[in-house]
Structure formats: structure tokens, C-alpha cells
Amino acid sequence: MKLPLSWLAEFVTVEAEVEEICRRLTVAGVEVENIARVRPAFSDVVVARVLKTERHPNADRLSLCEVEAGPVGRFSVVCGAPNVRAGMITAYARLGSRLMSGVHGQGGVEAIEQAPPLQAAVIRGIKSDGMLCSERELGLSQEHQGILELDEGESGADLASALYLDDTVLEIAITPNRGDCLSVLGLAREVAALFGVKLKEIRLRPGKALKPGSDQVTIAVGIDAPDLCPRYAALPMAAVKIGPSPIWMRRRLELAGMRPINNVVDTTNYVMLALGQPLHAFDYGKLAGGKIIVRRAGNDREITTLDGIQRALMPDDLVIADAEKPVAIAGVMGGGNSEVGAETNTILLESAYFEPMTVARTGRRLALRSEASYRFERGIDREGQVRALYMAAEIIRKIAGGREAGPIVDVDARPAPPREIVLEPGAIGSLLGVELPTAEVSRRLKSLGAWVTSGGKGKLIVAPPSFRPDLNEPADLAEEVARLNGLEEIPAAAPDRRSAAPAAEDPSRIFARASREVMLGCGLTEIKSIAFVASDDNQAYPGIGTGKPVRVANPISAELSELRCSLIPGLVTALRFNLNRQAGAFHGFEIGRVFAMDGEQAAEFERIAGIGYGEYAMGTIGRESISADFFMIKGIVESYLESIPGLAPRSFVAPGATSLAFLHPGKSAAISIEERQIGYLGELHPRAASHLELATPCVIFELDLTAILAYAAAKGRRVELPPRFPAVRRDLALVVEQALPADKVLKTIRESSSNLLESVRLFDVYEGGSLPTGRKSVGIACLYRARDRTLTDSEVNRAHAELIERVRVGLGAELRH
């Protein structure tokens, strides 16, 4: 934000040096980055009025002018400008003045050289006491077809002061939460509060509308998206004459870093810089139906903006439309189909409040930024719309001859809720480390524009001003109180020793950390992958029971257009990355979130997944190396699940052909707890492995971490003393159908056992040999123990015989001898 101090002086008067103003602003958090002292390209030039003109007796194209310059005096000047006439106010360079020499700097900002002092001259036999100057001679522009014409000015006044040419411009860095400081008024409020002076009141009032007749117009405003545009105000103005802006306005805009265009557009920019409220002017004659509708773009998919570029619209983009078409992208840029041009005579001024996020999102997607969008994104005054229209109308009446063609239409579709903050001044001391009297706290907050009343019992009720949306809680007010007098008033002291109990750690973080330790102990390396994947990856690896993928509205590339439904794509990418760099093996895991649509909303799910490829354990003397296969990855998953206390018994069953199509149909399993699938494991399908150009088997697993944590938390953690009495082991070999899963055998044994059976474990599966075709032998170790005594052989034999009989009948099994 560039702030000319001459403009600031119209809002607040401060008797302080520029350096002190900058110091206090910076200490208060409004950092002044640079001070630019601007000097005019001339000296000793004053404002003068041409009293009369007559033709030069010796030259047809020259005029003899009598010029009055107030207390400076009256002078006779020979002038060759075609626009000179009696009554005009212009620039007079008296004898001794210095004008520009050489190439001018834009607006007189750049350093230039001055010509020698002006001396009296005799032109065609007539003496000329000075000269009337063009803009080029003054270094204001390249215009030299006529002398400078001023709208107003006091005769004899210094021209540099009248045109704000001798000025100091501060370049100020504004933080994202201080949108109120993106205006001269906002910075003036800061200066007034910091120096304890009064802000000058801006008196704005509506003008007189045109009498009913041909020039009076009507406008209807409708807001179809009040969630994105709570308030919209519009003012029609007729009899407007489009032309260049007066020099003082052009100068102000240039000093603030903006390019002058014409008197109407310049007025909207001038008001925006002055008050912080962006405005836009439409050519009323180009608005169909005399309507303004604030709505989402919907089926309208493109608009050509003022810069002549055709922009693509998304259905949720907020647009300003007439009865037929969009005429502007709300808060970002107007449309070329409603642009104010040289033929425009009736305009419609727009002043609205748009929600910051909708402007930021649209502007970022279109890579389109403007001074208006910059302010909307940071939050403008929620109640400043009508005031800005009053100021703009007053200026347009003065410099463009316009008049109000109807009343202001102000639609407040979603009024701002009242804000009140209960503040305990005593609590400010604990936040800042310094105690302040309640009266001083109240004074400082009032200087910022807040309403402060007593809330009883030492409390204050603070209503923040509408132009400060960043003030929402007591800590915000404490910061304001501290920064007004500078943070240096807070003494440097060690904090009080206070006993504070540490907050309880999030159970999910503890669980994830423990899961990470188990995986690292199993020899896997942790990786982290990005959450964006291609649509093909989500189709290939759909994850664990997730819904439709979440599409990214503005993807960073076409290949990363969706959020991942599974962690497997990231692990596979990491595998290929390592193999491409001559790695012979890769074993890794990841803990992260996946995403899927839950109805109309996107939802997140916590997962843990792993991958194995190549040699897993090196061979030693007498032992072969272990490579990644189904049983390796199953062992890792079993080790992980067994490390979780209280987890219910789990089962591994063959998956359906459709749910896990990316896995090998004969070397994969779905993992369930209490009939609910919590994951899967297995070897990649040969088609997937071939697509990845893998030479050896690749195995993967993925588990629902959220579900596992919920089961573990429900069961709870129990700590028991070691058993006092010994256990007795009995082995059991059952011959069952070859297709019968061993897990079902274990489950049937657990359900059929007495309370003496402590555990049951599979230790062998045998097929072939003397066994009949289609049958297999399952070796099971049963452990019996009593909590209150040592079991006798007869008790164990009786319990074991009963178990064998129940299992033999339940499974149709035979004992293998």
C-alpha cells in the first residue's frame, strides 16, 4: 500500500516528523518498508487566472494575455496555446522560475534536470513577463497541445502544492488480517490512534436526483447467493461525460501506484484507495432488462473480462449478471460487455460486500488479481458500501457532470450478526505481562473505533467496529491494547512459575506412534507420499470399502486430479522410484489418510499400508534368504495385530473376485474382525505386476487404522499377573477337507472348548503322502491351565477328549494317528 502523506493529511493532522510516523506505525505492526520523497520537475510556478486575451498584433497564432496571480501580481504574457481563453485557471511560470529540461519522469516522480531560470523575452516585438505552461513543460506528461487547465485553484498558490507534486509517499506492508489498512482512511485511523489525535470526520451526503423524465432510470437488484454476497448496493447516474480526469486526481492515483484511465473509472479507484471499498462502474445502456442479479455462474461457462481475455467459469463462481448474461466476475474484474466507454452517458455504480474466500478462490484459479480483489480477499468494511457510493457520486458530479438518476438500491440479504466480546482487563495482564488500568484499556479500544461499555464486576463489553473483522476474541483485543503504545512498554521479565499439568496426548497419536514402532521392528521403512493421485490409480486400487473418489477442483496437474482412496498407489510409486535407481529390494510402509465422498461431503479415513518386493532377509550359513511372498506379508500383519492389546480375534479369508481384483486370486486374503472387513493382504495380480515391470512377486497390505483403534479402545487394556500354576500342552492332528480354511478349524475349537483351554495355535498343515485325495492334516497345539490349581492328567485328558469329540462332529474331521 502506497500512502501519500498529503492525502493522509486530509483525514488526520499530526505534528510529527515523517520518521516518527513511520517508527510508530512499524512498532504497531503496520510496517513501513520505504519512504519516497517526490519532488516536482519545476520551481516557482504558481496558479494563475487569465483575465483577458487579445490577438498578437504581429502574429496570427499568438495571443496577448493578461494574467492575475493573486498576491504575486498581474502580468502580461505572450502565449501560443490554442486553448488559452479568458477565465481559465492555469499554471504561470514567472520570471526566475525553473522548468523541466530533458525527458520527464512519469508524474514528476523520477529525478530530472531543470532548465536555467526563466528570463523576460521579447516575442514578435512584445515583451512577455513569464509564460503559461503545458503539462510537458511542467514534467507532468507528454501533452503539449495546449496549456495546463485546472478545474479550480487559488490565484497565486504554489502549483506544486495545489497538484500534490511535492509529497512524501510511504510504502507500507499490510499483513493479511489487516484489510482495513488498505486505504488512506484505514491508515489514518491507525495514525490517529497511535498519536492520540482526532480523526477528521468525512461529511458525505446524497445528491439531488434528476427530476422524473427521460434521464431517470430504474434498477432492480437481486441476490441469489447471499452466502457469497450478503450485501449489494447500486446507484444509477445520468448525464455523465466521459473524459480525462483532472490533474489532481491523476496525480493522486499515480502516487498510489495506479494508472489513470478516465474520469469515471478513476473515481472508482480513487474512492477505493480513500475508503477501502472497491467500486465498479457499468455502462447502464449495456445492462439487459435494467436488472442486476448476483448469482453463481451455473451454466454460464465463459466471460470476456475488461482485459480482453476470455475466461472460463466454474458453476460455483460468483458473477454479477443482468437479465440475460454475466457482466462481471464478482470482486475480481468486470466484463467487456458492460465496459464504460467514450460514448457512455449513463452509468451504474456498484458497491458490494463479497465473502473473501469466494473472491480468493476464483482469482487464484483464473490467475487474475486486481486491486479490488486484493481488498475483498482480506475483508472490507461490512457496512461501508453506501458511504462509498456517496463519495463517488459527489466526485462524479464535480468532474464528469453526472447526476443521480435514481435512489441508491441497497439490498442487505444477510445482515452481519452483532459482535460483542466480554473482556476482563485483569486477564490482559496475564496475557501481556503488564497490568493496565481499566480506563486505559477502554480508552485505547475506543481510539480504534470500538464501542466499549461496562459489563459489571470489572468486565468490559466490547463491540468491534465493522471495519475490523479480525477482532473476535479477548486475545485479539489484548494484542490491540499492547501494540497501540508499542510492545516496548512491556517489561522484559521472566515469567511467573506456575504449575501446569501437561495436556493428555491424543490416543490416536499414541496408537500411530506404536504402530510405526512395530512396522519398523518388522524391517519396513516408513515413507510419506502426497495425497493427490490420478483417476486411474483410484480405479486400480479402490481401497477398503470407500465411496466415490474426491475430485480436486483446481488440480496442480491433470495426472493428480483426485485425492487418493488408498495408500497403495503411493507405495507402488515409491517401489518403482527405487527400482529405477537399481535398488534390488524395497520394503516399506505408510501411515496416512485416504479420502472418499460421504454423500455430498468429502470424508477422511486413517489407514496403514505396506509393500514388500525382493529379498526380505539375507541368507546365512545353512539358511536360505527369505524373499517377499504371501506368507511373509501375512506374518508382518499378524505380528502387528498381535501387538495390539485387547483386539478381538481376527480372521483371514479368501477375498471376493471383484472387491480386490488387483490381488492374485490364489495368494490374497481379506482380514476381518467380528465379521467386519478391516483390510486385505496378498500378492499383486500378475497383470498389475506386469504393468509395473516387476520381475519377482510384490506383496502388499492395507488396514483400516481407525477401525482397529476403535476395537482396541473398546476392549481396553488389561494387566494381569503371571499365572501361578503350570500349563499342560496337548497336540491335536485333524484330517479335514482340503478346502476348509485352517482359521475355521481354530475358531471351531475355541467355541467348543471348556474354560480350561487357555490358547490354541496352528503349527502344521500337511497334504499328500498317505492322506486321501482332497484331504489335509492340520496340526494344532492346545494349552490347558487352571487359575486356582495345578491340573491333573485325568482332568486334562477328559477336557481334551471332549474337545476332540465336539470338533470331530462339528467339522466332520478324523483324528490322524
Side-chain angles (χ1 to χ4, degrees), residues 420-486:
E420 285 190 350
I421 303 173
V422 179
L423 179 65
E424 297 183 18
I428 290 183
S430 64
L431 288 171
L432 302 181
V434 60
E435 298 293 336
L436 292 173
T438 300
E440 177 63 14
V441 172
S442 178
R443 184 194 68 79
R444 295 189 188 184
L445 292 176
K446 286 180 179 179
S447 70
L448 294 171
W451 289 90
V452 184
T453 57
S454 174
K457 297 182 180 180
K459 296 181 180 178
L460 296 176
I461 306 298
V462 182
S466 60
F467 52 82
R468 290 297 303 273
D470 58 313
L471 303 182
N472 296 294
E473 57 184 57
D476 297 331
L477 300 180
E479 180 184 6
E480 294 299 300
V481 169
R483 72 180 186 84
L484 279 183
N485 272 36

Side-chain angles (χ1 to χ4, degrees), residues 508 512 528 544 567 591-594 604-608 702-707:
S508 63
K528 286 293 182 182
I544 307 170
L567 298 179
I591 298 174
R593 293 180 180 179
V594 301
E604 301 179 359
F605 308 91
E606 200 77 17
R607 299 283 191 263
I608 181 171
E702 186 166 26
L703 299 173
D704 184 343
L705 209 57
T706 303

Side-chain angles (χ1 to χ4, degrees), residues 19-185:
E19 288 74 14
E20 178 62 15
I21 295 175
C22 296
R23 187 191 69 82
R24 291 210 191 178
L25 283 172
T26 301
V27 169
V30 185
E31 182 184 0
V32 179
E33 295 183 317
N34 186 45
I35 303 174
R37 288 178 168 82
V38 182
R39 297 294 178 260
F42 55 85
S43 61
D44 289 334
V45 179
V46 297
V47 177
R49 182 183 299 274
V50 179
L51 298 180
K52 66 178 182 179
T53 65
E54 59 184 43
R55 185 175 149 184
H56 192 291
N58 301 321
D60 293 337
R61 296 186 179 182
L62 299 179
S63 301
L64 297 180
C65 305
E66 185 177 346
V67 176
E68 183 263 330
V72 179
R74 291 192 179 190
F75 305 91
S76 177
V77 178
V78 176
C79 179
N83 65 329
V84 66
R85 66 185 184 278
M88 74 180 299
I89 302 174
T90 186
Y92 168 63
R94 54 186 174 176
L95 299 181
S97 300
R98 288 176 176 267
L99 300 180
M100 189 203 74
S101 173
V103 179
H104 81 289
Q106 182 181 359
V109 175
E110 298 179 3
I112 54 155
E113 295 183 357
Q114 290 183 336
L118 187 65
Q119 298 180 355
V122 177
I123 303 175
R124 294 291 182 95
I126 303 295
K127 181 182 178 183
S128 179
D129 297 323
M131 63 181 294
L132 303 180
C133 306
S134 68
E135 291 189 16
R136 187 168 73 175
E137 290 162 336
L138 295 170
L140 302 177
S141 74
Q142 292 286 14
E143 177 60 41
H144 66 286
Q145 296 300 318
I147 59 174
L148 172 67
E149 184 169 2
L150 303 175
D151 293 331
E152 58 184 17
E154 181 181 353
S155 293
D158 181 65
L159 182 68
S161 299
L163 298 183
Y164 314 113
L165 300 178
D166 192 351
D167 210 338
T168 300
V169 180
L170 308 183
E171 293 187 26
I172 302 176
I174 307 299
T175 54
N177 66 316
R178 293 304 306 273
D180 62 297
C181 288
L182 290 171
S183 67
V184 181
L185 175 59

